[in-house]
């Protein structure tokens, strides 16, 4: 009696993977909880929407797509676990991860398992330029592009002379800060202060006083919004009118919500606003009707990533690693970000950055 | 000179917050030799309670200084009840267990409370209203000191004085001192040790809640994770001053706050933590029991 029960259990266990065998498995990894969840959840939503649309039309070449969601909380150590889990789940591709640090630690696992990875948001420059990860693609511009835009905007548009460049010591923030400093020094800006802060510290008054003492025209900040908003509010409460320019880590509505009136006049770079495109408006409308809310940052990037990926799979006619990779690099696809394809390094062609400014509690693109 | 004063006052402000928290660590350690790792979360819960209370009170039309006091008072009561409950649930059943068990229990409690607030509230940072009002008379001193600095530092001083009176001159204070000297002896001479321990947790939690409300209003935002780093720093301050010693905790906290502030201001904020913890290592090498700590005497 007992033996037969055991036999049934064992048979059932072996039978499990068979159910999913003819689906195409796609992993979605990013922070779905924790303080950066506002970056990860919209991306997972985007993938869900696109995949459900495709499945409703019968899938790709008759195969349905199955999504496997994994939460890495933007923590590198968690990302490794997530990557291994996704590899063991036999996914053919991954949309994610979100934060650059987490993406980098996960990438080698995917590379060794020959899994294509498309990030909607990991901007760290050397992820593509180092050529270490041939499996990596992204639907967002690199930090270098972004940092140079920030610096160029400050030097040439706003005609500012002296700079404080602050970062959060993280992979992403420091990368942006270093590229900005290099560009500024080449183009006649004077960097009087280049420093890192500790994320999560009780307060940032010391660095604020330092900025105040150096009497700089502008603060360039590389990092995310929790620290950014603390520094901006601290500066404004002290009566400092120093211009504040930051990256797309700050170009998030949460920043405006938390910093409130102190956010007014803050500049941030981010992916060029393509919300006037028809595909983008459709994508946003779908999010509204399905989740009842406006999509957050990187939603359109994730939407484009999954569109490019599914397009490549269907054009390649298989889920073979080399064939899909080739399709990603050769096929152009209409997405909410415009018409995109990928270059040899994995960076998206046809994607750009713009400068935004907070005006009346909203980010508006600077013309 | 002005820059020095500016850094000094922001160091004192930060140190005051550490002190309010460090007292909880040091008092609990003094009484039951336990490091209450869930203490930072009590500070965070205090801040969240004040946020909710302040939003409701503001709807009722209360504003200005009375809003700060009322919201603060509600936070103190609520956080104290949390401190009391944590002790009853997580530490009391383990009172006679090996010393490692309550320590693990404390870490578990800390993680539990963080996730509890995460689920009950939100994972995002939320903006905290500026409860500390702006004072007109501060205009002349604005260059090196802000109204919130003044309020934080003076509230801390008041709290210290009240705590000293409480411990020196009340009956329960006397019982606390007796328990901290020798728990068994105190029990034998008729002190209700369980009650003393509860009071210790309540007092510590109340101070932590005050700290949480003040710093959140100063910085303007909170999330579920703020207690972790603040707790770690306050614990460091308590060890620096000599864990178990009340004046030691305050001294350690102020020294730690000023060290961080000066290191960030004069050298680089990259080295803020390096200097803070470097100082701790130095002091522990030369005075293993901390600045004002007593050497534990061998019990014969």
């Amino acid at each position: 009696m007992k033996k037969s029960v055991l036999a049934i259990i064992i048979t059932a266990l072996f039978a499990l993977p068979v159910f999913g065998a003819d689906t195409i498995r796609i992993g979605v990894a990013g922070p779905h909880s924790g303080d950066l969840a506002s970056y990860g959840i919209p991306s997972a939503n985007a993938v869900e929407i696109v995949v459900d649309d495709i499945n409703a039309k019968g899938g790709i070449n008759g195969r349905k797509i199955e999504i496997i969601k994994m939460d890495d909380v933007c923590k590198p150590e968690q990302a490794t676990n997530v990557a291994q889990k996704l590899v063991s789940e036999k996914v053919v591709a991954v949309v994610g991860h979100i934060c650059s640090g987490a993406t980098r630690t996960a990438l080698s696992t995917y590379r060794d398992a020959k899994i294509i990875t498309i990030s909607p948001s990991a901007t760290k420059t050397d992820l593509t330029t180092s050529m270490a990860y041939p499996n990596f693609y992204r639907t967002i511009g690199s930090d270098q592009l972004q940092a140079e835009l920030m610096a160029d905007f400050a030097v040439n548009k706003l005609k500012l002379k002296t700079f404080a460049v602050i970062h959060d010591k993280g992979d992403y923030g420091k990368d942006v800060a270093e590229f900005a400093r290099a560009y500024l020094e080449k183009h006649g800006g004077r960097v009087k202060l280049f420093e890192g802060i500790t994320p999560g510290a009780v307060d940032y008054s010391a660095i604020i006083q330092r900025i105040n003492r150096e009497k700089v025209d502008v603060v360039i900040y590389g990092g995310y919004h929790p620290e950014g908003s603390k520094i901006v509010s601290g500066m404004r409460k002290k009566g400092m009118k120093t211009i504040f320019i930051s990256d797309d880590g700050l170009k998030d509505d949460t920043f405006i919500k938390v910093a409130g009136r102190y956010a007014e006049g803050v500049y941030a770079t981010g992916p060029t606003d393509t919300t006037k495109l028809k595909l983008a408006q459709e994508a946003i409308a779908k999010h509204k009707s399905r989740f009842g809310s406006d999509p957050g940052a990187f939603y359109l990037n994730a939407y484009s990533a999954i569109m490019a990926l599914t397009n490549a799979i269907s054009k390649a006619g298989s889920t073979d690693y080399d064939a899909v990779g080739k399709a990603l690099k050769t096929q152009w696809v209409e997405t909410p970000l415009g018409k995109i394809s990928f270059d040899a390094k994995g960076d998206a062609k046809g994607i750009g950055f713009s400068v935004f400014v907070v005006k009346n509690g909203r980010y508006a693109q600077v013309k | 000179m002005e820059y020095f004063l500016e850094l000094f006052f922001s160091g004192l402000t930060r140190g005051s917050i550490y002190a309010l928290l460090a007292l909880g660590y040091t008092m609990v350690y003094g009484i039951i030799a336990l490091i209450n790792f869930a203490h930072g979360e009590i500070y965070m819960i205090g801040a969240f309670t004040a946020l909710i209370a302040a939003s409701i009170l503001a709807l009722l039309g209360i504003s200005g200084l009375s809003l700060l006091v009322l919201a603060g008072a509600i936070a103190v009561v609520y956080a104290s009840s949390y401190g009391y409950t944590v002790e009853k649930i997580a530490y009391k059943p383990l009172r006679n267990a090996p010393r490692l068990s309550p320590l693990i229990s404390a870490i578990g409690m800390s993680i539990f409370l963080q996730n509890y607030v995460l689920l009950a509230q939100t994972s995002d940072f939320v903006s905290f209203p500026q409860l500390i009002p702006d004072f007109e008379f501060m205009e002349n001193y604005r260059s090196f000191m802000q109204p919130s600095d003044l309020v934080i530092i003076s509230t801390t001083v008041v709290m210290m004085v009240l705590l000293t009176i409480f411990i020196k001159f009340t009956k329960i204070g006397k019982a606390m001192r007796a328990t901290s000297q020798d728990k068994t002896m105190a029990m034998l001479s008729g002190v209700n040790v369980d009650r003393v321990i509860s009071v210790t947790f309540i007092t510590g939690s109340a101070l932590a809640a005050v700290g949480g409300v003040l710093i959140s209003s100063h910085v303007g935002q909170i999330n579920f994770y703020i207690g972790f780093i603040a707790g770690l720093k306050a614990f460091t301050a308590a060890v620096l001053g000599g864990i178990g010693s009340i004046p030691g905790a305050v001294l350690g906290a102020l020294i730690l706050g000023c060290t961080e502030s000066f290191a960030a201001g004069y050298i680089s904020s990259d080295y803020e933590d390096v200097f803070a913890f470097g100082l701790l290592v130095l002091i522990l090498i030369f005075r293993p029991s901390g600045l004002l700590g007593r050497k534990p005497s061998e019990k014969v």
Side-chain angles (χ1 to χ4, degrees):
Chain A
M1 181 63 198
K2 264 185 191 165
K3 258 186 192 162
S4 62
V5 173
L6 200 65
I8 291 169
I9 291 174
I10 289 173
T11 330
L13 279 178
F14 278 109
L16 268 179
V18 177
F19 291 121
D22 58 344
T23 60
I24 300 173
R25 295 187 154 202
I26 292 179
V28 178
H32 302 146
S33 68
D35 54 348
L36 295 167
S38 61
Y39 292 132
I41 291 169
S43 305
N45 291 349
V47 174
E48 238 176 75
I49 291 171
V50 173
V51 164
D52 284 359
D53 274 1
I54 292 173
N55 283 344
K57 286 178 195 143
I60 301 175
N61 307 330
R63 289 168 75 187
K64 294 250 157 118
I65 304 174
E66 190 187 340
I67 310 172
I68 296 164
K69 273 199 237 174
M70 288 280 170
D71 183 8
D72 70 2
V73 212
C74 262
K75 292 201 170 115
E77 62 274 20
Q78 198 86 355
T80 324
N81 293 340
V82 164
Q84 276 153 1
K85 190 85 203 300
L86 285 174
V87 170
S88 71
E89 294 273 356
K90 304 245 180 304
V91 297
V92 299
V94 174
V95 176
H97 297 214
I98 301 297
C99 297
S100 290
T103 307
R104 180 208 286 287
T105 50
L107 263 182
S108 49
T109 310
Y110 296 134
R111 179 190 54 201
D112 297 344
K114 292 212 160 189
I115 291 174
I116 285 176
T117 313
I118 305 188
S119 171
S121 61
T123 49
K124 189 160 172 70
T125 312
D126 64 6
L127 287 175
T128 53
T129 53
S130 70
M131 305 295 274
Y133 309 105
N135 59 326
F136 181 65
Y137 302 84
R138 61 178 155 209
T139 50
I140 194 164
S142 68
D143 289 339
Q144 187 174 3
L145 213 65
Q146 185 169 186
E148 291 182 355
L149 177 66
M150 278 157 75
D152 178 66
F153 178 74
V155 175
N156 295 326
K157 269 269 175 60
L158 301 176
K159 308 274 176 219
L160 301 167
K161 297 266 174 327
T162 54
F163 293 83
V165 180
I166 310 293
H167 60 86
D168 65 355
K169 297 190 206 164
D171 259 350
Y172 162 67
K174 199 168 178 198
D175 203 35
V176 168
E178 272 168 357
F179 279 112
R181 173 168 71 171
Y183 186 90
L184 286 171
E185 280 168 352
K186 222 192 277 168
H187 293 81
R190 238 184 97 218
V191 180
K192 291 173 99 176
L193 190 67
F194 182 83
E195 250 172 52
I197 55 158
T198 314
V202 173
D203 76 338
Y204 291 114
S205 43
I207 189 76
I208 292 165
Q209 279 148 10
R210 194 78 192 274
I211 294 166
N212 196 19
R213 189 197 193 196
E214 299 286 352
K215 304 248 174 302
V216 293
D217 297 331
V218 55
V219 177
I220 288 191
Y221 176 73
Y224 297 105
H225 63 81
E227 288 75 34
S229 63
K230 273 192 201 172
I231 297 175
V232 173
S233 338
M235 280 166 54
R236 299 294 182 252
K237 273 185 201 163
K238 223 174 140 48
M240 290 162 65
K241 297 204 167 60
T242 321
I243 292 170
F244 199 91
I245 304 180
S246 188
D247 46 36
D248 63 343
L250 225 71
K251 211 211 142 263
D252 182 275
D253 289 339
T254 320
F255 166 71
I256 302 177
K257 233 190 297 168
V258 171
R261 65 194 157 98
Y262 300 117
E264 286 297 304
V266 167
Y267 293 99
T269 55
T272 304
D273 188 5
T274 55
T275 46
K276 292 213 173 63
L277 293 179
K278 193 170 150 271
L279 266 173
Q281 280 173 348
E282 270 175 31
I284 293 168
K286 277 179 192 161
H287 189 283
K288 270 187 193 155
S289 70
R290 176 149 174 188
F291 297 97
S293 62
D294 282 326
F298 308 125
Y299 170 73
L300 294 179
N301 301 70
Y303 205 97
S304 305
I306 183 72
M307 277 183 90
L309 178 68
T310 46
N311 176 62
I313 293 174
S314 84
K315 288 274 164 64
S318 80
T319 53
D320 176 60
Y321 172 74
D322 295 313
V324 175
K326 194 167 163 243
L328 279 171
K329 282 171 189 156
T330 50
Q331 304 288 340
W332 286 82
V333 55
E334 284 290 350
T335 70
L337 296 178
K339 207 169 175 195
I340 64 164
S341 175
F342 296 88
D343 65 14
K345 296 192 303 264
D347 275 318
K349 292 185 270 190
I351 277 175
F353 276 106
S354 300
V355 180
F356 297 81
V357 65
V358 181
K359 220 184 243 167
N360 303 324
R362 282 202 100 86
Y363 271 113
Q365 194 162 330
V366 176
K367 293 276 147 36
Chain B
M1 189 60 195
E2 197 178 286
Y3 186 57
F4 175 84
L5 280 179
E6 203 173 27
L7 289 176
F8 178 64
F9 280 113
S10 79
L12 277 190
T13 307
R14 201 188 270 215
S16 301
I17 300 298
Y18 292 162
L20 287 170
L21 263 169
L23 282 168
Y25 282 101
T26 223
M27 278 168 25
V28 166
Y29 187 86
I31 301 263
I32 52 172
L34 161 78
I35 294 159
N36 178 14
F37 278 113
H39 194 56
E41 274 57 55
I42 300 291
Y43 153 96
M44 178 265 296
I45 286 174
F48 264 100
T49 314
L51 172 65
I52 297 164
S55 336
I56 297 171
L57 289 171
L59 278 182
L60 299 175
I62 297 167
S63 65
L65 205 56
S66 49
L67 181 64
L68 172 67
V69 174
L70 273 176
I74 294 171
V76 163
V77 171
Y78 202 75
S80 306
S81 69
Y82 261 90
Y84 175 82
T85 317
V86 164
E87 195 268 329
K88 283 283 172 280
I89 292 174
Y91 309 139
K92 189 159 178 258
L94 298 171
R95 190 130 317 141
N96 295 317
R99 280 184 69 174
L100 215 50
S101 312
L103 193 75
I104 304 290
S105 178
I107 294 172
M109 209 61 212
S110 158
I111 296 171
F112 168 78
L113 287 176
Q114 271 177 28
N115 284 283
Y116 163 69
V117 175
L118 165 82
L119 293 174
Q121 298 295 325
T122 163
S123 62
D124 274 341
F125 270 87
V126 284
S127 88
F128 194 92
Q130 196 184 343
L131 293 178
I132 301 174
D134 264 335
F135 301 118
E136 296 291 328
F137 70 89
M138 286 289 297
E139 282 309 322
N140 300 332
Y141 309 99
R142 206 39 66 102
S143 58
F144 58 85
M145 196 181 193
Q146 286 178 54
S148 51
D149 290 337
L150 184 74
V151 172
I152 291 175
I153 296 169
S154 49
T155 311
T156 308
V157 172
V158 171
M159 288 292 153
M160 303 293 139
V161 172
L162 287 178
L163 183 69
T164 315
I165 294 173
F166 176 69
I167 287 178
K168 280 259 154 73
F169 301 108
T170 61
K171 206 171 164 198
I172 184 85
K174 204 182 259 176
M176 279 164 85
R177 280 183 290 150
T179 313
S180 107
Q181 252 177 20
D182 191 331
K183 207 163 87 186
T184 323
M185 209 51 217
M187 214 177 325
L188 289 176
S189 33
V191 172
N192 184 347
V193 173
D194 277 336
R195 195 161 150 253
V196 167
I197 294 172
S198 294
V199 169
T200 311
F201 270 87
I202 290 172
T203 325
S205 305
L207 291 172
V210 171
V213 175
L214 291 176
I215 194 71
S216 307
S217 168
H218 179 65
V219 178
Q221 54 176 297
I222 53 174
N223 83 337
F224 73 96
Y225 201 59
I226 56 167
F228 181 74
I229 290 175
L232 198 65
K233 286 280 170 66
F235 171 59
T236 310
V239 173
L240 192 67
I243 194 149
S245 152
I246 288 178
V250 179
L251 183 69
L254 294 182
I255 290 178
L256 188 72
C258 288
T259 310
E260 283 183 357
S261 184
F262 285 128
Y266 283 116
I267 301 157
S268 161
S269 63
D270 283 322
Y271 295 101
E272 197 178 279
D273 287 354
V274 176
F275 275 86
F277 290 106
L279 178 77
L280 177 73
V281 170
L282 268 184
I283 288 191
L284 288 183
I285 289 172
F286 293 106
R287 278 194 69 95
S289 50
L291 285 173
L292 300 182
R294 281 169 311 184
K295 275 205 185 109
S297 52
E298 280 299 318
K299 280 179 187 157
V300 188

